[in-house]
Amino acid sequence: RPAEEPPPPLPDPALLEMLRRFDLAWEYGPCTGITRLQRWERAQALGLSPPGRIRDALLEHRDNP
């Protein structure tokens, strides 16, 4: 029987809080129907200066929705 893969590590609580604040920040526009990264990119394109740390975290954890 093959060994089971270990569960992925839990995300850092500070990272989760940062993402939650981004989700709730109305200044970056609505968040329904798009991914966080799409929302970040849209806000950047509109000149809204979303935090770069958010984009970095989203790219680093692409495999974890």
Side-chain angles (χ1 to χ4, degrees):
R1 177 177 156 180
E4 291 183 24
E5 289 188 32
L10 292 175
D12 176 17
L15 171 61
L16 293 176
E17 177 63 18
M18 181 176 67
L19 292 173
R20 187 183 73 77
R21 288 181 184 204
F22 177 69
D23 290 347
L24 297 175
W26 283 102
E27 64 263 30
Y28 304 122
C31 58
T32 54
I34 61 174
T35 66
R36 283 178 172 144
L37 185 57
Q38 289 171 328
R39 184 170 180 245
W40 189 96
E41 290 170 342
R42 181 188 63 200
Q44 180 70 17
L46 293 172
L48 300 176
S49 302
R53 297 177 314 176
I54 297 288
R55 182 176 182 274
D56 295 344
L58 294 174
L59 292 174
E60 182 180 339
H61 298 280
R62 273 182 189 251
D63 57 338
N64 186 344

